[in-house]
Amino acid sequence: EADIYQTPRYLVIGTGKKITLECSQTMGHDKMYWYQQDPGMELHLIHYSYGVNSTEKGDLSSESTVSRIRTEHFPLTLESARPSHTSQYLCASSESGTYGYTFGSGTRLTVV
Amino acid sequence: AQRVTQPEKLLSVFKGAPVELKCNYSYSGSPELFWYVQYSRQRLQLLLRHISRESIKGFTADLNKGETSFHLKKPFAQEEDSAMYYCALSGSNYQLIWGAGTKLIIKP
């Protein structure tokens, strides 16, 4: 089924650890996005990509990095997790601006 | 500047009452506007797009270019409508510009 998948759903990790949040979509969308969202709060764009080998930083300053080696895969990496990174991370993809975004289920990250 | 404003962080209405969630935008071109909904413990999902002029789950939204608004309306609220609602504008370079969201609570 065409969809967008995020793993893990929940992650509790110690300070200083390196983590990668996975995001994959099977819709063939060129455009993919990472948002940070605390529950019931605003969405903050942290990274986006318009295609393979294209990545840009979003509006919210983030210590994370992303890569886009394949169209379907857009992982987000934190080299050294800190408690301030505790949040929910949402991945989305889109075909064009006209159709809006499709979101994954999110990864809820807790850094202790 | 491109901006989306949802003036109410929280809206509480009784079941069966009409609902209106406000959304105002600022955009110099022809806007494409969306409403997204996030139910408890579910993913953020598209509710409706202004371009399709459809009614989803009894909700409608009309683009008013004169008032630069895209308010979401439902004549009779149901308890299952309780959720976070986000208004979004498709700006230049394919990115969505998001409002801060409105939490809708339907009281029994």
Side-chain angles (χ1 to χ4, degrees):
Chain A
E1 181 181 335
D3 204 348
I4 183 165
Y5 303 94
Q6 288 188 245
T7 57
R9 285 294 306 274
Y10 301 93
L11 179 62
V12 180
I13 200 162
T15 298
K17 299 291 187 184
K18 178 180 178 178
I19 57 169
T20 296
L21 308 184
E22 301 289 347
C23 176
S24 294
Q25 51 97 3
T26 57
M27 296 171 284
H29 289 169
D30 286 328
K31 301 167 190 63
M32 296 188 73
Y33 309 84
W34 275 103
Y35 284 89
Q36 188 173 335
Q37 182 201 29
D38 292 319
M41 302 297 283
E42 292 180 65
L43 284 81
H44 297 285
L45 180 67
I46 50 176
H47 294 283
Y48 60 97
S49 167
Y50 289 159
V52 171
N53 294 326
S54 153
T55 61
E56 300 286 346
K57 287 186 180 292
D59 304 321
L60 181 68
S61 174
S62 173
E63 293 158 344
S64 59
T65 59
V66 292
S67 63
R68 190 88 183 275
I69 298 171
R70 304 195 316 265
T71 297
E72 62 271 20
H73 195 213
F74 190 41
L76 180 144
T77 298
L78 276 168
E79 291 293 332
S80 179
R82 295 214 296 257
S84 60
H85 296 138
T86 294
S87 188
Q88 177 166 247
Y89 293 84
L90 301 179
C91 183
S93 71
S94 73
E95 181 178 349
S96 75
T98 304
Y99 294 96
Y101 295 178
T102 301
F103 280 87
S105 298
T107 293
R108 193 173 296 278
L109 173 67
T110 302
V111 183
V112 298
Chain B
Q2 302 171 12
R3 185 166 50 244
V4 174
T5 304
Q6 292 180 252
E8 304 139 328
K9 285 189 72 73
L10 175 67
L11 182 63
S12 181
V13 301
F14 284 102
K15 177 182 171 182
V19 174
E20 183 179 52
L21 293 104
K22 291 185 168 48
C23 173
N24 290 92
Y25 67 90
S26 172
Y27 187 66
S28 57
S30 256
E32 293 184 19
L33 286 144
F34 307 83
W35 276 100
Y36 280 78
V37 61
Q38 192 171 31
Y39 300 104
S40 178
R41 296 189 182 86
Q42 293 188 28
R43 68 170 73 183
L44 192 59
Q45 57 188 281
L46 179 66
L47 181 62
L48 54 79
R49 303 178 291 157
H50 95 267
I51 199 168
S52 53
R53 301 186 64 81
E54 56 199 346
S55 172
I56 303 293
K57 299 185 179 184
F59 284 99
T60 58
D62 290 319
L63 177 62
N64 185 323
K65 291 187 178 181
E67 295 182 0
T68 59
S69 68
F70 188 56
H71 303 328
L72 183 68
K73 299 177 184 178
K74 185 170 183 176
F76 306 104
Q78 299 171 291
E79 288 186 67
E80 54 265 34
D81 295 329
S82 293
M84 279 294 298
Y85 290 81
Y86 294 92
C87 181
L89 164 71
S90 180
S92 54
N93 66 10
Y94 310 110
Q95 291 186 23
L96 286 183
I97 299 157
W98 296 87
T102 298
K103 183 173 184 176
L104 177 63
I105 296 174
I106 307 300
K107 297 178 285 189

PDB file of all heavy atoms in Angstrom, chain A residues 27-44:
ATOM      1  N   MET A  27       5.281   6.235  -2.432  1.00  0.00           N
ATOM      2  CA  MET A  27       4.396   6.947  -3.357  1.00  0.00           C
ATOM      3  C   MET A  27       5.159   7.570  -4.517  1.00  0.00           C
ATOM      4  O   MET A  27       4.545   8.192  -5.390  1.00  0.00           O
ATOM      5  CB  MET A  27       3.615   8.023  -2.592  1.00  0.00           C
ATOM      6  CG  MET A  27       2.701   7.402  -1.545  1.00  0.00           C
ATOM      7  SD  MET A  27       1.945   8.593  -0.441  1.00  0.00           S
ATOM      8  CE  MET A  27       3.309   8.981   0.629  1.00  0.00           C
ATOM      9  N   GLY A  28       6.478   7.471  -4.483  1.00  0.00           N
ATOM     10  CA  GLY A  28       7.275   8.060  -5.562  1.00  0.00           C
ATOM     11  C   GLY A  28       7.349   9.577  -5.515  1.00  0.00           C
ATOM     12  O   GLY A  28       7.677  10.223  -6.513  1.00  0.00           O
ATOM     13  N   HIS A  29       7.066  10.155  -4.349  1.00  0.00           N
ATOM     14  CA  HIS A  29       7.107  11.607  -4.236  1.00  0.00           C
ATOM     15  C   HIS A  29       8.547  12.114  -4.251  1.00  0.00           C
ATOM     16  O   HIS A  29       9.431  11.548  -3.600  1.00  0.00           O
ATOM     17  CB  HIS A  29       6.441  12.056  -2.930  1.00  0.00           C
ATOM     18  CG  HIS A  29       4.959  11.880  -2.938  1.00  0.00           C
ATOM     19  ND1 HIS A  29       4.199  12.011  -1.779  1.00  0.00           N
ATOM     20  CD2 HIS A  29       4.088  11.603  -3.940  1.00  0.00           C
ATOM     21  CE1 HIS A  29       2.922  11.818  -2.091  1.00  0.00           C
ATOM     22  NE2 HIS A  29       2.831  11.561  -3.382  1.00  0.00           N
ATOM     23  N   ASP A  30       8.755  13.208  -4.973  1.00  0.00           N
ATOM     24  CA  ASP A  30      10.086  13.815  -4.983  1.00  0.00           C
ATOM     25  C   ASP A  30      10.359  14.621  -3.711  1.00  0.00           C
ATOM     26  O   ASP A  30      11.479  14.697  -3.244  1.00  0.00           O
ATOM     27  CB  ASP A  30      10.231  14.755  -6.194  1.00  0.00           C
ATOM     28  CG  ASP A  30      10.390  13.984  -7.492  1.00  0.00           C
ATOM     29  OD1 ASP A  30      10.972  12.882  -7.451  1.00  0.00           O
ATOM     30  OD2 ASP A  30       9.941  14.479  -8.536  1.00  0.00           O
ATOM     31  N   LYS A  31       9.334  15.256  -3.188  1.00  0.00           N
ATOM     32  CA  LYS A  31       9.536  16.202  -2.090  1.00  0.00           C
ATOM     33  C   LYS A  31       9.263  15.543  -0.749  1.00  0.00           C
ATOM     34  O   LYS A  31       8.230  14.908  -0.549  1.00  0.00           O
ATOM     35  CB  LYS A  31       8.614  17.412  -2.296  1.00  0.00           C
ATOM     36  CG  LYS A  31       8.876  18.111  -3.629  1.00  0.00           C
ATOM     37  CD  LYS A  31       7.778  19.079  -3.978  1.00  0.00           C
ATOM     38  CE  LYS A  31       7.950  19.574  -5.414  1.00  0.00           C
ATOM     39  NZ  LYS A  31       7.837  18.508  -6.425  1.00  0.00           N
ATOM     40  N   MET A  32      10.223  15.714   0.156  1.00  0.00           N
ATOM     41  CA  MET A  32      10.076  15.147   1.496  1.00  0.00           C
ATOM     42  C   MET A  32      10.507  16.173   2.522  1.00  0.00           C
ATOM     43  O   MET A  32      11.324  17.058   2.239  1.00  0.00           O
ATOM     44  CB  MET A  32      10.886  13.856   1.641  1.00  0.00           C
ATOM     45  CG  MET A  32      10.389  12.737   0.720  1.00  0.00           C
ATOM     46  SD  MET A  32      11.151  11.146   1.028  1.00  0.00           S
ATOM     47  CE  MET A  32      10.360  10.655   2.573  1.00  0.00           C
ATOM     48  N   TYR A  33       9.945  16.030   3.737  1.00  0.00           N
ATOM     49  CA  TYR A  33      10.109  17.047   4.766  1.00  0.00           C
ATOM     50  C   TYR A  33      10.229  16.395   6.139  1.00  0.00           C
ATOM     51  O   TYR A  33       9.635  15.352   6.397  1.00  0.00           O
ATOM     52  CB  TYR A  33       8.876  17.971   4.806  1.00  0.00           C
ATOM     53  CG  TYR A  33       8.477  18.532   3.452  1.00  0.00           C
ATOM     54  CD1 TYR A  33       7.676  17.800   2.591  1.00  0.00           C
ATOM     55  CD2 TYR A  33       8.917  19.786   3.044  1.00  0.00           C
ATOM     56  CE1 TYR A  33       7.308  18.307   1.352  1.00  0.00           C
ATOM     57  CE2 TYR A  33       8.553  20.297   1.805  1.00  0.00           C
ATOM     58  CZ  TYR A  33       7.749  19.546   0.960  1.00  0.00           C
ATOM     59  OH  TYR A  33       7.400  20.052  -0.271  1.00  0.00           O
ATOM     60  N   TRP A  34      10.982  17.060   7.027  1.00  0.00           N
ATOM     61  CA  TRP A  34      11.015  16.691   8.443  1.00  0.00           C
ATOM     62  C   TRP A  34      10.532  17.878   9.268  1.00  0.00           C
ATOM     63  O   TRP A  34      10.989  19.011   9.082  1.00  0.00           O
ATOM     64  CB  TRP A  34      12.433  16.336   8.890  1.00  0.00           C
ATOM     65  CG  TRP A  34      12.828  14.922   8.626  1.00  0.00           C
ATOM     66  CD1 TRP A  34      13.636  14.460   7.637  1.00  0.00           C
ATOM     67  CD2 TRP A  34      12.439  13.778   9.389  1.00  0.00           C
ATOM     68  NE1 TRP A  34      13.765  13.098   7.727  1.00  0.00           N
ATOM     69  CE2 TRP A  34      13.048  12.655   8.798  1.00  0.00           C
ATOM     70  CE3 TRP A  34      11.622  13.587  10.514  1.00  0.00           C
ATOM     71  CZ2 TRP A  34      12.880  11.359   9.296  1.00  0.00           C
ATOM     72  CZ3 TRP A  34      11.467  12.307  10.991  1.00  0.00           C
ATOM     73  CH2 TRP A  34      12.085  11.208  10.385  1.00  0.00           C
ATOM     74  N   TYR A  35       9.603  17.573  10.173  1.00  0.00           N
ATOM     75  CA  TYR A  35       9.094  18.582  11.090  1.00  0.00           C
ATOM     76  C   TYR A  35       9.347  18.141  12.525  1.00  0.00           C
ATOM     77  O   TYR A  35       9.360  16.943  12.841  1.00  0.00           O
ATOM     78  CB  TYR A  35       7.582  18.763  10.921  1.00  0.00           C
ATOM     79  CG  TYR A  35       7.178  19.547   9.710  1.00  0.00           C
ATOM     80  CD1 TYR A  35       6.956  18.916   8.493  1.00  0.00           C
ATOM     81  CD2 TYR A  35       7.014  20.922   9.771  1.00  0.00           C
ATOM     82  CE1 TYR A  35       6.567  19.635   7.382  1.00  0.00           C
ATOM     83  CE2 TYR A  35       6.626  21.658   8.664  1.00  0.00           C
ATOM     84  CZ  TYR A  35       6.410  21.000   7.472  1.00  0.00           C
ATOM     85  OH  TYR A  35       6.034  21.717   6.368  1.00  0.00           O
ATOM     86  N   GLN A  36       9.490  19.129  13.383  1.00  0.00           N
ATOM     87  CA  GLN A  36       9.524  18.887  14.815  1.00  0.00           C
ATOM     88  C   GLN A  36       8.237  19.465  15.402  1.00  0.00           C
ATOM     89  O   GLN A  36       7.839  20.591  15.067  1.00  0.00           O
ATOM     90  CB  GLN A  36      10.748  19.572  15.441  1.00  0.00           C
ATOM     91  CG  GLN A  36      10.969  19.229  16.891  1.00  0.00           C
ATOM     92  CD  GLN A  36      12.278  19.795  17.409  1.00  0.00           C
ATOM     93  OE1 GLN A  36      13.217  20.035  16.652  1.00  0.00           O
ATOM     94  NE2 GLN A  36      12.352  20.017  18.704  1.00  0.00           N
ATOM     95  N   GLN A  37       7.572  18.678  16.226  1.00  0.00           N
ATOM     96  CA  GLN A  37       6.310  19.127  16.801  1.00  0.00           C
ATOM     97  C   GLN A  37       6.153  18.615  18.207  1.00  0.00           C
ATOM     98  O   GLN A  37       6.150  17.400  18.427  1.00  0.00           O
ATOM     99  CB  GLN A  37       5.125  18.628  15.957  1.00  0.00           C
ATOM    100  CG  GLN A  37       3.779  19.106  16.461  1.00  0.00           C
ATOM    101  CD  GLN A  37       2.611  18.271  15.987  1.00  0.00           C
ATOM    102  OE1 GLN A  37       2.742  17.087  15.729  1.00  0.00           O
ATOM    103  NE2 GLN A  37       1.441  18.892  15.863  1.00  0.00           N
ATOM    104  N   ASP A  38       5.997  19.512  19.165  1.00  0.00           N
ATOM    105  CA  ASP A  38       5.604  19.094  20.501  1.00  0.00           C
ATOM    106  C   ASP A  38       4.092  18.895  20.482  1.00  0.00           C
ATOM    107  O   ASP A  38       3.378  19.556  19.738  1.00  0.00           O
ATOM    108  CB  ASP A  38       6.018  20.136  21.531  1.00  0.00           C
ATOM    109  CG  ASP A  38       7.527  20.196  21.672  1.00  0.00           C
ATOM    110  OD1 ASP A  38       8.162  19.116  21.679  1.00  0.00           O
ATOM    111  OD2 ASP A  38       8.091  21.298  21.743  1.00  0.00           O
ATOM    112  N   PRO A  39       3.571  17.954  21.273  1.00  0.00           N
ATOM    113  CA  PRO A  39       2.146  17.595  21.195  1.00  0.00           C
ATOM    114  C   PRO A  39       1.220  18.793  21.256  1.00  0.00           C
ATOM    115  O   PRO A  39       1.315  19.625  22.154  1.00  0.00           O
ATOM    116  CB  PRO A  39       1.967  16.677  22.403  1.00  0.00           C
ATOM    117  CG  PRO A  39       3.312  16.091  22.638  1.00  0.00           C
ATOM    118  CD  PRO A  39       4.295  17.166  22.294  1.00  0.00           C
ATOM    119  N   GLY A  40       0.336  18.883  20.263  1.00  0.00           N
ATOM    120  CA  GLY A  40      -0.653  19.947  20.228  1.00  0.00           C
ATOM    121  C   GLY A  40      -0.100  21.316  19.932  1.00  0.00           C
ATOM    122  O   GLY A  40      -0.787  22.325  20.130  1.00  0.00           O
ATOM    123  N   MET A  41       1.130  21.361  19.457  1.00  0.00           N
ATOM    124  CA  MET A  41       1.768  22.655  19.207  1.00  0.00           C
ATOM    125  C   MET A  41       2.047  22.839  17.718  1.00  0.00           C
ATOM    126  O   MET A  41       1.662  22.013  16.884  1.00  0.00           O
ATOM    127  CB  MET A  41       3.067  22.748  20.013  1.00  0.00           C
ATOM    128  CG  MET A  41       2.875  22.577  21.504  1.00  0.00           C
ATOM    129  SD  MET A  41       1.863  23.871  22.233  1.00  0.00           S
ATOM    130  CE  MET A  41       3.063  25.192  22.298  1.00  0.00           C
ATOM    131  N   GLU A  42       2.717  23.926  17.397  1.00  0.00           N
ATOM    132  CA  GLU A  42       3.037  24.246  16.009  1.00  0.00           C
ATOM    133  C   GLU A  42       3.986  23.229  15.400  1.00  0.00           C
ATOM    134  O   GLU A  42       4.735  22.555  16.091  1.00  0.00           O
ATOM    135  CB  GLU A  42       3.726  25.611  15.926  1.00  0.00           C
ATOM    136  CG  GLU A  42       2.849  26.782  16.275  1.00  0.00           C
ATOM    137  CD  GLU A  42       3.619  28.084  16.158  1.00  0.00           C
ATOM    138  OE1 GLU A  42       4.029  28.437  15.040  1.00  0.00           O
ATOM    139  OE2 GLU A  42       3.802  28.734  17.188  1.00  0.00           O
ATOM    140  N   LEU A  43       3.952  23.179  14.069  1.00  0.00           N
ATOM    141  CA  LEU A  43       4.921  22.380  13.325  1.00  0.00           C
ATOM    142  C   LEU A  43       6.084  23.282  12.927  1.00  0.00           C
ATOM    143  O   LEU A  43       5.886  24.382  12.431  1.00  0.00           O
ATOM    144  CB  LEU A  43       4.298  21.810  12.060  1.00  0.00           C
ATOM    145  CG  LEU A  43       3.364  20.614  12.213  1.00  0.00           C
ATOM    146  CD1 LEU A  43       1.977  21.054  12.624  1.00  0.00           C
ATOM    147  CD2 LEU A  43       3.306  19.832  10.911  1.00  0.00           C
ATOM    148  N   HIS A  44       7.284  22.786  13.138  1.00  0.00           N
ATOM    149  CA  HIS A  44       8.483  23.537  12.773  1.00  0.00           C
ATOM    150  C   HIS A  44       9.281  22.732  11.746  1.00  0.00           C
ATOM    151  O   HIS A  44       9.715  21.608  12.032  1.00  0.00           O
ATOM    152  CB  HIS A  44       9.341  23.814  14.003  1.00  0.00           C
ATOM    153  CG  HIS A  44       8.672  24.669  15.033  1.00  0.00           C
ATOM    154  ND1 HIS A  44       8.502  26.024  14.869  1.00  0.00           N
ATOM    155  CD2 HIS A  44       8.102  24.361  16.217  1.00  0.00           C
ATOM    156  CE1 HIS A  44       7.871  26.519  15.920  1.00  0.00           C
ATOM    157  NE2 HIS A  44       7.613  25.533  16.755  1.00  0.00           N
TER     158      HIS A  44
END
